[in-house]
Amino acid sequence: MTYKPCPLYSQLPAIDRLLREPQITPFVEQYGQTLVTATLRGMQEQARIYIKQYQALPDWCDNWVLALGQQLEQKQTLALKPVFNLSGTVIHTNLGRALMAESAIEAVTQVMRSPVTLEYSLNDAGRGHRDHALADLLRELTGAEDACIVNNNAAAVLLLLATVASGKQVVVSRGELVEIGGAFRIPDVMVQAGCRLVEVGTTNRTHLKDYQQAINEETALLMKVHTSNYNIEGFTAEVSGHELSALGIASQIPTAIDLGSGSMINMAQYGLPAEPMPQDYLNQGIDLVTFSGDKLLGGPQAGIILGKKRWIEAIQRHPLKRALRADKMTLAALEATLRLYQRPEQLCQQLPTLRLLTRSQQQVHDMAQRLLPQLQTRYGDQFIVRDEPCYSQIGSGSLPVDRLPSWSLTFAAIDGQGNSLERLARRWRGLTKPVLGRISGGRLWLDLRCLEDEKALLQALLL
C-alpha cells in the first residue's frame, strides 16, 4: 500500500515565494525579516496541523498577507494592556493597584531617559545611598528617625524579621496571623527569615499579659500585624501600640507592626473608613513600622520601613537589602508621590487613588445618566439597560470589607439566559481596551466610580 500525500499540503506557498511578494515587503521593512520569516513559518505549521485535523485549508489561507499582518500586530501587542476598571474595586490587586499621579509618571519618564544620581553624591562626587533622599522626605512627613525602601511590603517584613530576629523568637497575636493574596502568610515569611513564631492569645482576644508571659531569653521581637483584609467583630480585645511599646521598653525587646496597606493621612477626614497611620504608631513608641507604597498611599509597588535609626541602619546593612532594594523608577515614582503629601490641600485633585475613593455617589450617578441613553440604544434589543445604585470596594486585598456608595450601569439579558451576559462580558474583554465589569444577580454591572474618560468608554462600547 503506497502513501499518497494530501494535495492540500502542496497548496501552501513556500516561504521564499511569500517573502518576494510586493505586499509583504512593507511588513519586512516595519518588523524586520527575522520576525516576518518566523511568523510565516509558524503560519505554515498552523496550516499543516489544521489540514491534518480537518482535511481542509484554514480560512485565512485565502489571504496570507492579511493573516500575516494580523499575526504580526498581535505579536507586538504588549502583555500589560490598559483596561477600563469598572469592576467596583478601586485598588484592584490584579489590575495593578494604585494609579500613578501625573507627577510620578513624569518623574519615572525622566529617570528612564537620562543618567541620574541614584547612588551618586553631588556634594563630594562619591558614592551616595539610594534611599537617602526618600528617607529625608519620610522623616519630614512622619517624624520617623530613618527609613528604608524595598520592592514591596512582603520584602519589608522579611528584611525586618531577618535583621532583628533571625534564629530567635517573634511573638505575635494569634488573631493577627494574616494571609493575603497569593497565599502569602506571615508565619511562612517568618520561617524564610529564620525566625520562630510564638503565637499568643486567641483568635478574637489577645491581652498584654499574653505577650508578657511569652517573653523569654529567646524573644527577639514583639510584633503586631494590622488585619487590613478582614475584621473580627464582637467579643474582641487587642494590644494597643502604646501597650506593646511600653512592654518592649521594659523588657528591652524591639517592637514592630506591619500595617499592610498603610495610610499617610487620616482617611476619616474624607468620609472614608479610618486606617491606622504609621506616624501614629511611631508616636506611640513602636520601633519599626512597615507598609505598602501602592495601596492607600497611592504610589508605586514598594515596601516602606520606618523607625528607629539604629534598627534602620542595621536593616540597610543586611545582605538581603541588596536583593530586595527598589530600582530608580520605583524610587522616582515614590518620591514624586510623597511630595504630593507636602501639599495636603491639593491631594484629592492630584492623587488619582484618593480622587477615585472620594467621589460622591451623586457624581457617579450623574455620569451614569449621561452614558445611559446611548447604551440603551446600542444594546436595548438584547438587554435591559438601567442605571442602579451599588457599592464599590476600596480594595481587594486592602479594606475589602469596607464599601463606598456608588452607581452602576447594569445589563440584564432579555432572554433571561446567563450565557448571554457571559458572551457580552467576554466580548468586552476582547476589545482593544478591555472593559471589565462583574456579573452578579443575573446582571452585568459596570461600576462607574473608577471611570475618568466617558468618551473613550462610549467609543469602545458603541462599536
Side-chain angles (χ1 to χ4, degrees):
M1 183 174 180
T2 59
Y3 169 73
K4 293 183 179 180
C6 177
L8 291 172
Y9 290 112
S10 63
Q11 296 182 38
L12 299 178
I15 300 293
D16 289 345
R17 198 196 93 192
L18 286 168
L19 288 172
R20 289 195 297 270
E21 291 283 344
Q23 292 171 295
I24 288 181
T25 300
F27 293 137
V28 175
E29 293 173 349
Q30 180 178 356
Y31 297 104
Q33 183 152 335
T34 300
L35 181 59
V36 172
T37 302
T39 304
L40 287 170
R41 287 203 178 104
M43 292 169 66
Q44 275 194 338
E45 184 59 26
Q46 293 167 25
R48 290 191 188 101
I49 293 171
Y50 192 92
I51 292 169
K52 183 178 181 180
Q53 187 171 358
Y54 299 105
Q55 289 74 53
L57 289 168
D59 292 339
W60 54 261
C61 280
D62 293 335
N63 193 333
W64 278 73
V65 174
L66 178 62
L68 174 63
Q70 291 172 342
Q71 292 210 19
L72 286 169
E73 184 177 351
Q74 192 174 44
K75 284 188 174 187
Q76 295 299 298
T77 301
L78 297 177
L80 296 180
K81 301 183 68 171
V83 301
F84 290 100
N85 175 18
L86 308 184
S87 66
T89 300
V90 180
I91 306 172
H92 200 303
T93 300
N94 297 344
L95 299 180
R97 294 183 178 152
L99 303 180
M100 295 296 99
E102 286 302 315
S103 59
I105 295 170
E106 292 169 6
V108 172
T109 302
Q110 185 178 48
V111 301
M112 290 174 69
R113 286 180 169 158
S114 171
V116 294
T117 53
L118 178 64
E119 292 185 350
Y120 184 88
S121 171
L122 293 173
N123 292 329
D124 59 9
R127 180 163 186 160
H129 195 291
R130 65 177 59 206
D131 288 358
H132 278 178
L134 276 171
D136 290 342
L137 188 52
L138 284 162
R139 279 194 286 264
E140 173 193 331
L141 293 170
T142 68
E145 291 183 14
D146 207 349
C148 173
I149 313 299
V150 289
N151 54 34
N152 62 32
N153 189 52
V157 174
L158 175 66
L159 183 57
L160 184 158
L161 291 170
T163 303
V164 178
S166 181
K168 298 284 188 176
Q169 294 180 356
V170 179
V171 184
V172 184
S173 167
R174 183 170 284 110
E176 297 176 356
L177 297 177
V178 303
E179 176 180 315
I180 62 173
F184 167 85
R185 294 177 173 179
I186 285 292
D188 297 337
V189 176
M190 290 193 180
V191 171
Q192 294 301 316
C195 307
R196 299 195 302 277
L197 168 66
V198 177
E199 301 177 32
V200 296
T202 62
T203 302
N204 61 318
R205 292 176 70 82
T206 299
H207 305 279
L208 188 62
K209 65 180 180 181
D210 296 318
Y211 277 90
Q212 289 172 321
Q213 292 169 0
I215 293 174
N216 59 48
E217 64 277 3
E218 289 294 303
T219 305
L221 182 67
L222 306 177
M223 188 172 184
K224 280 181 62 65
V225 180
H226 177 53
T227 56
S228 60
N229 61 353
Y230 67 92
N231 280 339
I232 299 175
E233 298 180 349
F235 188 56
T236 64
E238 68 172 293
V239 177
S240 70
H242 277 300
E243 292 175 311
L244 194 65
S245 171
L247 177 60
I249 292 170
S251 307
Q252 296 185 317
I253 297 172
T255 54
I257 179 165
D258 169 20
L259 286 182
S261 298
S263 174
M264 294 273 288
I265 53 171
N266 180 6
M267 305 294 282
Q269 67 182 305
Y270 299 102
L272 298 169
E275 272 288 288
M277 297 185 292
Q279 50 267 48
D280 290 342
Y281 281 102
L282 294 172
N283 290 336
Q284 291 170 21
I286 295 294
D287 293 298
L288 292 164
V289 179
T290 72
F291 59 102
S292 295
D294 60 348
K295 295 178 183 174
L296 293 175
L297 183 69
Q301 177 180 297
I304 301 169
I305 310 173
L306 303 177
K308 299 289 194 299
K309 190 173 184 63
R310 64 175 285 236
W311 288 116
I312 295 295
E313 288 178 345
I315 288 169
Q316 294 284 14
R317 291 193 302 268
H318 196 283
L320 270 179
K321 174 54 165 60
R322 185 171 183 85
L324 303 175
R325 67 185 183 181
D327 68 2
K328 63 179 181 179
M329 291 171 283
T330 298
L331 294 172
L334 185 56
E335 180 180 0
T337 301
L338 289 172
R339 292 206 178 279
L340 297 178
Y341 283 82
Q342 294 176 311
R343 308 186 298 278
E345 299 83 6
Q346 303 168 14
L347 204 55
C348 260
Q349 290 74 42
Q350 297 184 348
L351 196 65
T353 296
L354 189 59
R355 181 171 67 242
L356 298 177
L357 289 174
T358 55
R359 272 183 165 174
S360 70
Q361 186 181 42
Q362 185 62 51
Q363 288 175 308
V364 188
H365 172 262
D366 292 345
M367 195 186 325
Q369 291 289 298
R370 292 191 293 269
L371 295 170
L372 183 62
Q374 294 185 67
L375 294 177
Q376 284 177 325
T377 301
R378 170 64 179 82
Y379 293 95
D381 58 333
Q382 298 180 62
F383 299 93
I384 300 169
V385 186
R386 296 181 177 143
D387 67 298
E388 300 186 52
C390 64
Y391 285 92
S392 301
Q393 187 181 43
I394 293 177
S396 48
S398 54
L399 287 82
V401 296
D402 291 304
R403 298 288 187 266
L404 303 174
S406 188
W407 214 273
S408 284
L409 295 171
T410 64
F411 296 73
I414 291 176
D415 61 15
Q417 296 184 12
N419 57 8
S420 297
L421 293 178
E422 293 287 354
R423 285 196 300 270
L424 181 62
R426 191 181 309 115
R427 176 183 159 197
W428 286 349
R429 291 197 304 271
L431 295 172
T432 302
K433 184 174 181 179
V435 176
L436 308 182
R438 60 183 174 86
I439 295 176
S440 176
R443 285 165 289 178
L444 176 54
W445 298 72
L446 300 182
D447 185 331
L448 302 178
R449 172 168 292 279
C450 293
L451 178 63
E452 298 207 272
D453 192 339
E454 298 176 40
K455 183 178 178 181
L457 179 66
L458 281 176
Q459 288 176 340
L461 295 184
L462 296 180
L463 289 175

